[in-house]
Amino acid sequence: MPVLNSLNLAINLNFKILILLMKIFWFPLSLLILSAFASFAKDSPNFIIIYMDDLGWHQTSVQMMDSEPMSKHSFYNTPNVERLAEMGRCFSNGYAPTATCTGSRVSILFGQTSARTQYRYVFDVFHQKQRPEGYAGQYSLADSVKTAGKNYITAHFGKGMTEKLKLVNYDVTDEYEEHAPNGNLHGEKIDIPSRKDLPPDNPKRIYSLIDESMKFLNKNAGKRPFMMMVSHYSVHVPHAASKKYMDKWQAKYDALEKPTDKEELRLFERECNPLYGAMLEETDQHIGILLDYLKKAGELDNTYFIFTSDNGSECIPRTKENRRYNGPLQEGKYSCFEGGIRVPFVVAGPGIQGGTYCDIPVVQWDLLATLHDLSGNDTPLPDDIDGGSLRDVFFKGNKGKVKRGAPGIVHHFPSHYQVPISAIRIGDYKFMRNMNTDEKKLFNVAVDYREKNDLAQKMPEKVASMDKILRSYIEEVDGGDVKDSYQAFYETMDDFEGRAVKDHERKMKELEAKMPSDFEHQKSLIDQELEFKKRGFFANRAITKRQETWPGWYDTARKTVEAEIGMTKGGKLIKKK
């Protein structure tokens, strides 16, 4: 009791002194105190994630690395990403979880590497064998703030993942189908059953996403803390833009001086695409609309805003030597070289210094732990979270540190139809292993982000050490090997072909029961349909069989095998020239 009485006396005395000071220095001091209380009151910040689809590291008008002029585009323009960068920090070494979209979307949602989520690339056939039950009920990005006990509401609008997002605890979504999640098709069509095209005034569903996000903010901003993720369908193919933007960008392109050399012109046209520029700027306006609204609502200073992309760009030039480049970075979408996995990464919000850069590597599966930390969530994270909080690097930049559950930034890509690479970045070094041939590469990507100087022969001990760390992690999380993917693919083809044969039998029975006057014609069409499908199954098996031993780091067996068998992967016969 004496201690408690002394404490109360001290508090009362300090309070009286505070009142006296306020009377003497009323105006400035009162503002200071109110400001302090306001600061403490906003201990539940908002979060907005803008997730682009297939946007490359160098394709905004923001220089992603302060020392690399080629890390911004000379033609495309993103004024609102520029605005965001002026407010916050660019991360020059920002990584997507995988080199293709679905695996990245699953990974960011659960704060885990794609090896642990067991969804590593688009059409991951082995995933169905490993996780037939899916992810329903798994701890998610939404849970990272909802479990904070601060009345957070969560929303996801736009392109989804493998299943409906309400099954992983999002409160509000824009999922259009009764059962299926939002996929690529929803960026082109109104819905799956009708297959009707989106109207020309809503390209890539840009304006639907603007409307849905604004309805959510109107209802919740300033009333309760929120986390909102907007996953745009742009800039994924097929490209689309409204006439207003297309006219503007076509005129801009027409005014450019073009190369006269035929090959240089081909590369130029691929690099400076007016439709792509129109679509990108039309999407970029969404950021400005959100920033303006939050400022008006008095919530901008209490909102973390994260802009990034699910993988590197596909809309980039391919040289005669069959090489691709995202600005200075090698390769693009589908590749574990830097051009396929290093992406734009810009963050603004409370405590983040504007117009700054950070070169410390960050990866999108860090965001779950980051939101958990910044929301003031005291509940423990599950033990299987791979990411670490980025709070320290958000606030301190290059002086900050990130502590992760995973041993490094892992990119495990055992694809049955693209170059299968297993990679890990630890510190400045990136180790890569071609899973077809077991050939290994090592780069110091902190300085050699172009990946021109392979150090594997010069540093065998580091190669062996990083290889061991990576293999141990993949085994621990049951991340799978490319051999598993090949086998799962053959089994999937057998299943698909079996279904096609049964479907053919059903159609023939129905036709025989009707016995129409043009029976032979209709029978011929049904037989042709099965024959076409069987050619496709044959071609897929032939390509994959060759791919199992294909040694390339930059190409696959597809074109070679298609030329040999005289048909495409889809079963279309190739006319001889």
Side-chain angles (χ1 to χ4, degrees), residues 137-179:
Q138 185 167 326
Y139 191 96
S140 71
L141 194 63
D143 291 311
S144 72
V145 296
K146 288 178 69 175
T147 56
K150 298 184 179 183
N151 199 33
Y152 271 95
I153 186 168
T154 60
H156 184 284
F157 304 117
K159 186 172 176 179
M161 45 167 260
T162 56
E163 55 202 282
K164 303 200 90 166
L165 288 162
K166 285 196 174 180
L167 295 176
V168 288
N169 300 325
Y170 275 87
D171 299 308
V172 182
T173 69
D174 63 346
E175 291 164 310
Y176 304 106
E177 313 299 333
E178 184 178 354
H179 301 293

Side-chain angles (χ1 to χ4, degrees), residues 303-318:
T303 302
Y304 287 97
F305 209 114
I306 300 162
F307 174 85
T308 188
S309 174
D310 63 351
N311 49 251
S313 179
E314 186 175 19
C315 188
I316 49 177
R318 187 181 290 273

Side-chain angles (χ1 to χ4, degrees), residues 378-549:
D378 294 327
T379 64
L381 285 170
D383 293 336
D384 60 357
I385 299 300
D386 285 307
S389 174
L390 301 178
R391 171 194 284 267
D392 213 29
V393 292
F394 278 8
F395 298 160
K396 298 179 183 177
N398 287 331
K399 294 181 180 178
K401 295 181 180 179
V402 184
K403 184 179 180 181
R404 299 184 177 91
I409 295 180
V410 174
H411 287 97
H412 187 59
F413 195 70
S415 173
H416 65 272
Y417 64 96
Q418 294 291 342
V419 181
I421 292 174
S422 190
I424 186 169
R425 178 169 177 178
I426 301 175
D428 292 345
Y429 290 91
K430 175 183 172 183
F431 165 81
M432 305 169 72
R433 179 173 68 88
N434 186 316
M435 287 184 273
N436 279 344
T437 64
D438 205 43
E439 183 184 356
K440 303 171 181 71
K441 292 182 181 292
L442 180 71
F443 300 98
N444 181 345
V445 289
V447 292
D448 181 26
Y449 45 86
R450 290 174 171 82
E451 295 171 299
K452 289 185 174 181
N453 185 22
D454 184 0
L455 303 171
Q457 297 300 317
K458 295 179 179 179
M459 304 178 71
E461 291 182 359
K462 180 165 280 292
V463 167
S465 172
M466 294 181 75
D467 188 15
K468 183 179 180 180
I469 290 170
L470 179 57
R471 287 180 193 261
S472 296
Y473 174 80
I474 299 302
E475 183 178 355
E476 176 192 333
V477 301
D478 195 15
D481 186 76
V482 71
K483 293 177 182 177
D484 301 315
S485 299
Y486 289 136
Q487 182 59 37
F489 179 73
Y490 294 133
E491 292 172 6
T492 301
M493 286 296 99
D494 291 345
D495 179 47
F496 285 179
E497 187 162 8
R499 292 186 199 180
V501 170
K502 287 182 180 179
D503 189 49
H504 175 267
E505 292 171 352
R506 176 186 60 79
K507 288 179 178 179
M508 285 305 301
K509 285 181 181 179
E510 291 175 355
L511 185 65
E512 288 167 357
K514 294 177 182 178
M515 287 304 292
S517 58
D518 62 343
F519 176 85
E520 290 300 328
H521 174 66
Q522 290 196 40
K523 178 180 181 299
S524 175
L525 293 177
I526 293 171
D527 288 342
Q528 287 175 30
E529 181 185 24
L530 179 60
E531 181 186 355
F532 179 75
K533 288 180 179 179
K534 283 198 166 190
R535 286 203 306 267
F537 297 135
F538 168 78
N540 271 277
R541 290 189 184 100
I543 292 167
T544 305
K545 192 65 181 174
R546 184 71 65 84
Q547 182 64 24
E548 286 188 51
T549 55

Side-chain angles (χ1 to χ4, degrees), residues 246-283:
M246 192 59 235
D247 289 348
K248 171 185 174 180
W249 279 85
Q250 188 62 56
K252 184 176 179 180
Y253 176 79
D254 291 343
L256 292 176
E257 184 177 346
K258 314 295 192 301
T260 54
D261 178 78
K262 186 177 179 181
E263 175 62 13
E264 288 181 8
L265 179 61
R266 183 185 70 81
L267 297 174
F268 178 87
E269 289 173 341
R270 183 67 174 169
E271 183 67 56
C272 299
N273 183 329
L275 177 54
Y276 194 90
M279 175 178 54
L280 180 55
E281 188 181 13
E282 194 160 11
T283 307

Side-chain angles (χ1 to χ4, degrees), residues 82-235:
E82 289 181 33
R83 180 177 168 190
L84 196 65
E86 289 170 2
M87 295 166 54
R89 194 183 298 277
C90 292
F91 287 82
S92 63
N93 289 247
Y95 287 98
T98 75
T100 57
C101 62
T102 313
S104 290
R105 292 168 193 280
V106 174
S107 182
I108 191 175
L109 187 62
F110 298 122
Q112 299 173 333
T113 69
S114 61
R116 190 187 291 274
T117 64
Q118 298 170 335
Y119 206 109
R120 293 139 292 221
Y121 58 96
V122 172
F123 191 40
D124 187 337
V125 286
F126 190 46
H127 166 77
Q128 298 300 327
K129 310 285 184 183
Q130 290 183 294
R131 290 220 182 176
E133 75 285 357
Y135 301 100
Q138 185 167 326
Y139 191 96
S140 71
L141 194 63
D143 291 311
S144 72
V145 296
K146 288 178 69 175
T147 56
K150 298 184 179 183
N151 199 33
Y152 271 95
I153 186 168
T154 60
H156 184 284
F157 304 117
K159 186 172 176 179
M161 45 167 260
T162 56
E163 55 202 282
K164 303 200 90 166
L165 288 162
K166 285 196 174 180
L167 295 176
V168 288
N169 300 325
Y170 275 87
D171 299 308
V172 182
T173 69
D174 63 346
E175 291 164 310
Y176 304 106
E177 313 299 333
E178 184 178 354
H179 301 293
N182 289 356
N184 272 333
L185 194 65
H186 294 97
E188 310 159 43
K189 310 294 182 182
I190 292 174
D191 55 48
I192 293 174
S194 74
R195 291 295 201 273
K196 289 182 179 178
D197 291 337
L198 287 168
D201 61 353
N202 191 20
K204 306 302 288 184
R205 220 180 267 276
I206 292 169
Y207 295 98
S208 294
L209 292 173
I210 290 173
D211 289 345
E212 292 288 351
S213 62
M214 292 309 297
K215 285 177 188 174
F216 178 77
L217 291 186
N218 274 315
K219 188 173 182 180
N220 297 290
K223 302 176 182 70
R224 61 188 294 191
F226 64 84
M227 188 277 282
M228 178 177 74
M229 183 168 179
V230 181
S231 296
H232 273 280
Y233 297 95
S234 57
V235 287

